[in-house]
Amino acid sequence: MKPPVIYGAAPFLVPAVLLAVWFLLTAGTKPAVNPLFLPPPATVLAGFGELWRDDLAGDFAASAITVLRGYICGVLVGLTTGAACGLSRLTERVLTPTLNTFRQVPGLAWLPLMILWFGAGTGGKTVLIGLAVFFPVFLNTLQGIRGVPAEYIEVGRVFGFGKLELLLRVVAPAALPGVFVGLRYGAGIAWAVLVVAEMLGARRGLGFLLMRSQELMHTHHLFALIFIIGGVGFSIDFGLRRLERHLLRWKRGFEG
Amino acid sequence: MSHLETTAGTAATADTSGTGNAAAITIRGLSKTFRDTRAGGTTGGEVRALDAVSLDIAAGAFVAIVGASGCGKTTLLRAIAGLETAHEGTVALDGEPVRAPGPDRGVVFQDHRLLPWLSVADNTALGLSALPAAERDERVRRALALVGLTDFAGAWPAQLSGGMAQRAAIARALAARPRALLLDEPLGALDAITRLRMQTELERIWRVEKITMVMVTHDVEEALLLGDTVVVMTPRPGRIKREHRIQLARPRDRESPVFQDLRRTLLVELELETPPPAVAGDYAI
Ligand SMILES: Nc1ncnc2c1ncn2[C@@H]1O[C@H](COP(=O)(O)OP(=O)(O)O)[C@@H](O)[C@H]1O
Ligand SMILES: [Mg+2]
């Protein structure tokens, strides 16, 4: 049952084709597409270097720290609120109508208010990302806990587990697959919200660099930045997926 | 095997107390009605799962309960386990009313209910968190050896066959050393050969541990092979039709005429077989 070579190469097929088309469209002294719209790969590669010398690392760090801080805040509040609602119908009844109303507001709609309250620095963006991350984590934690089979709870009770032991040894692990859906989804949102928020108002960060590159007509920088942003988003999801695969390795089908 | 030897040693010293560590179970006038919550309500909305069930189970007895599906066997076992508390009548353990589950009663559920995120060994250790690690590991090792799952200690439940999972569930219940073990069709998922082996094992465990065993089964032969008492239940409403004291010497011989005769009697009571013509000595060939 060894997969054929084509299976291993499959993920690289589309990028290879895209790269080839890119080379073709931008080759020669009179390329098919104006370099202002589509700079050749070599120029974009040089753009990485220029950005790097212009303290790309500093901007990257600014973005990373903001997104991490916002994500952690959103996850912590989402987990605790979701757990509280999942474990208590009363708490759910108290909180969910309000939360469901706020949930209808797109994350970025809060941006002007956040800038007004917390300024255009990292504070407002942290809150904004936290808000955007909160909802998927909250909802999936709540549903994860509600989905814990009563049969497992009974097993815990048969072995004399108290409330806390039931929570830690039965409810939490049984709800983990659901929680992870929220964690991964929230991570994707966090990165997207951050970049857009930085584009709309920031003095540092990858989103800020995007806007500045546009103003300076540095298209090759735009491309370099898009690669970086996409790469980071991909890495975050990849890392979380690896973590999920490890933590949920007891589930059948992961190897398949 | 070593599990048996060691416990045999302890049991031998405590043998003067007769039934050792076992618990007696007394059930009086137990009735349970489920409201049918399903849409439509064609059944009239209520199911009388148990109707005025009374049963005395002596400490150290092996009681087998047989009956058609839906006659309340699981409900009865759950009431003894303390998982079903909203009922009429009483269930008592050594005279103490049962109000909740407790470590004195082990349960092997009809579905194995291994926790899928714990290895087989960790599942087996589920009721042992109060013990020091070394003793815990030793108990897990012995319990798994007893059910023949030593090589699967590190496996995930999802990797086990149905029969192996059920054996792991038996090991998990045994490892906690309950005073009464409640088994709900524990061998139903096993293949014929493993089933025979596990029947022998269950009898040995019962003999050596000297605990009370209440086993639900749909297999009349299994009930006769293991039970001191075989309780026959009938459905709608769930009632005890008869209790048979089985006086046959152990280990019991399935092929013996008396065994076969009892088997036929039980099947007739379960309405699975029409009564044979009453010809005296028809098995004395
Ligand atoms: N939780 C429940 N809700 C509604 N009806 C139930 C429930 N549990 C059992 N019953 C009903 O009670 C009757 C007895 O069920 P059960 O004790 O599981 O029977 P058995 O184990 O003998 O097959 C059945 O008719 C079943 O449908
Ligand atoms: Mg049943």
Side-chain angles (χ1 to χ4, degrees):
Chain A
M1 285 295 279
K2 201 168 145 45
V5 180
I6 180 76
Y7 197 81
F12 304 101
L13 285 179
V14 176
V17 170
L18 286 178
L19 201 62
V21 171
W22 187 10
F23 267 109
L24 283 177
L25 289 177
T26 56
T29 44
K30 289 228 23 112
V33 180
N34 184 342
L36 184 63
F37 296 125
L38 185 64
T43 316
V44 171
L45 207 59
F48 277 108
E50 291 162 26
L51 285 167
W52 181 257
R53 282 187 291 281
D54 197 19
D55 197 22
L56 175 67
D59 286 289
F60 181 83
S63 290
I65 289 169
T66 312
V67 83
L68 213 61
R69 205 190 286 156
Y71 182 68
I72 290 172
C73 291
V75 165
L76 288 181
V77 181
L79 278 180
T80 44
T81 320
C85 290
L87 298 172
S88 148
R89 299 261 172 197
L90 181 64
T91 313
E92 187 193 4
R93 222 173 131 68
V94 168
L95 289 181
T96 41
T98 317
L99 289 177
N100 275 334
T101 310
F102 280 109
R103 191 158 63 91
Q104 306 309 320
V105 183
L108 282 165
W110 297 102
L111 183 64
L113 196 60
M114 293 303 144
I115 292 178
L116 181 68
W117 284 356
F118 304 103
T122 54
K125 289 183 194 64
T126 305
V127 178
L128 192 73
I129 292 164
L131 257 173
V133 170
F134 168 81
F135 285 105
V137 174
F138 164 77
L139 287 171
N140 284 286
T141 305
L142 170 58
Q143 252 149 45
I145 289 179
R146 282 292 149 78
V148 175
E151 285 82 3
Y152 295 162
I153 309 278
E154 282 187 353
V155 169
R157 290 181 60 210
V158 160
F159 286 110
F161 287 6
K163 275 235 152 59
L164 186 66
E165 222 180 350
L166 273 179
L167 192 65
L168 295 178
R169 296 182 66 185
V170 180
V171 176
L176 194 62
V179 171
F180 244 99
V181 173
L183 292 183
R184 269 179 61 191
Y185 188 74
I189 290 188
W191 188 236
V193 164
L194 168 88
V195 173
V196 178
E198 281 178 344
M199 287 169 66
L200 297 178
R203 280 170 252 102
R204 293 231 62 172
L206 298 176
F208 162 76
L209 287 185
L210 270 176
M211 291 315 277
R212 198 190 57 182
S213 304
Q214 189 211 22
E215 280 158 25
L216 299 175
M217 302 276 255
H218 286 165
T219 318
H220 60 305
H221 285 183
L222 282 182
F223 272 85
L225 287 164
I226 284 169
F227 279 120
I228 294 170
I229 291 163
V232 170
F234 180 85
S235 310
I236 292 172
D237 192 57
F238 185 78
L240 279 175
R241 240 192 330 224
R242 290 298 288 268
L243 182 66
E244 179 179 17
R245 242 169 75 152
H246 176 72
L247 289 177
L248 304 182
R249 63 194 178 283
W250 46 271
K251 289 195 122 187
R252 210 210 303 259
F254 268 120
E255 259 62 59
Chain B
M1 293 303 127
S2 50
H3 182 47
L4 291 173
E5 285 150 21
T6 316
T7 24
T10 2
T13 53
D15 222 18
T16 42
S17 65
T19 53
N21 196 28
I25 301 164
T26 320
I27 299 162
R28 285 286 170 274
L30 186 62
S31 296
K32 171 82 194 178
T33 305
F34 286 109
R35 248 157 270 299
D36 195 354
T37 48
R38 283 162 295 194
T42 45
T43 55
E46 288 193 347
V47 180
R48 192 79 165 155
L50 291 175
D51 187 58
V53 167
S54 294
L55 184 63
D56 281 300
I57 301 173
F62 198 131
V63 173
I65 301 174
V66 291
S69 114
C71 69
K73 306 181 297 291
T74 296
T75 308
L76 176 60
L77 222 54
R78 287 173 57 83
I80 302 173
L83 291 168
E84 205 79 72
T85 46
H87 54 65
E88 298 154 49
T90 56
V91 176
L93 207 77
D94 291 334
E96 279 295 307
V98 165
R99 293 203 178 80
D104 45 7
R105 280 149 294 153
V107 182
V108 176
F109 292 96
Q110 198 166 354
D111 45 338
H112 58 76
R113 295 202 191 178
L114 297 175
L115 300 183
W117 57 88
L118 296 179
S119 69
V120 169
D122 288 341
N123 261 290
T124 310
L126 217 48
L128 311 177
S129 26
L131 296 179
E135 195 184 340
R136 188 166 61 219
D137 293 348
E138 184 58 17
R139 278 226 213 159
V140 168
R141 203 185 57 71
R142 286 177 177 177
L144 288 179
L146 197 66
V147 298
L149 285 178
T150 302
D151 294 342
F152 291 87
W156 301 113
Q159 297 171 309
L160 303 183
S161 71
M164 288 158 82
Q166 204 57 24
R167 273 144 63 200
I170 294 172
R172 178 172 74 178
L174 280 173
R177 304 237 168 114
R179 300 170 56 223
L181 187 57
L182 313 172
L183 306 123
D184 197 352
E185 303 196 18
L187 310 184
L190 303 191
D191 62 87
I193 295 174
T194 317
R195 200 183 166 104
L196 292 182
R197 226 195 73 221
M198 285 306 297
Q199 286 169 348
T200 316
E201 279 308 330
L202 277 181
E203 187 173 33
R204 287 180 56 179
I205 291 162
W206 170 69
R207 220 175 44 229
V208 168
E209 302 267 342
K210 297 192 183 326
I211 60 178
T212 310
M213 287 217 192
V214 184
M215 181 177 76
V216 167
T217 174
H218 57 247
D219 181 351
V220 165
E221 249 188 60
E222 187 169 283
L224 282 172
L225 198 68
L226 299 175
D228 294 321
T229 303
V230 175
V231 175
V232 179
M233 289 185 71
T234 49
R236 281 173 296 276
R239 280 190 181 135
I240 292 183
K241 184 172 182 178
R242 259 195 85 176
E243 286 178 50
H244 296 268
R245 311 258 166 248
I246 311 299
Q247 315 277 8
L248 302 176
R250 292 170 191 269
R252 289 170 182 165
D253 174 10
R254 298 165 199 263
E255 307 303 328
S256 81
V258 189
F259 190 98
Q260 289 299 326
D261 206 29
L262 278 166
R263 180 176 158 275
R264 217 167 297 128
T265 310
L266 282 172
L267 286 176
V268 169
E269 276 178 19
L270 290 165
E271 286 154 24
L272 295 174
E273 202 167 272
T274 44
V279 180
D282 62 345
Y283 45 73
I285 304 160

